[in-house]
Amino acid sequence: MFTILVEPINDKKDYWYTAWKRPIENKIKNNYKTKEGKNKDVY
C-alpha cells in the first residue's frame, strides 16, 4: 500500500479534529523534508 502526501486545499475550513492534528502533521512533514535533504546523494 502506498501513501500520498498532499497539501490541504483550504486551511480555514478544517474540522476541529483536523485542525488539532495539523501541527503534528507539519512536524512530521518537516522531519521527512530534512531527512530527504540529508540523504539526497544516497539514491
Side-chain angles (χ1 to χ4, degrees):
M1 179 180 291
F2 295 98
T3 59
I4 300 172
L5 176 65
V6 296
E7 297 294 328
I9 295 172
N10 188 355
D11 288 337
K12 304 297 180 199
K13 290 187 175 187
D14 284 344
Y15 293 108
W16 66 269
Y17 53 84
T18 305
W20 72 268
K21 292 189 301 183
R22 189 75 61 211
I24 299 168
E25 292 173 353
N26 288 335
K27 190 171 186 176
I28 293 169
K29 184 171 57 173
N30 290 336
N31 190 16
Y32 276 111
K33 284 182 180 181
T34 57
K35 284 183 181 180
E36 183 179 288
K38 289 180 183 177
N39 295 328
K40 193 174 186 179
D41 298 327
V42 175
Y43 301 113

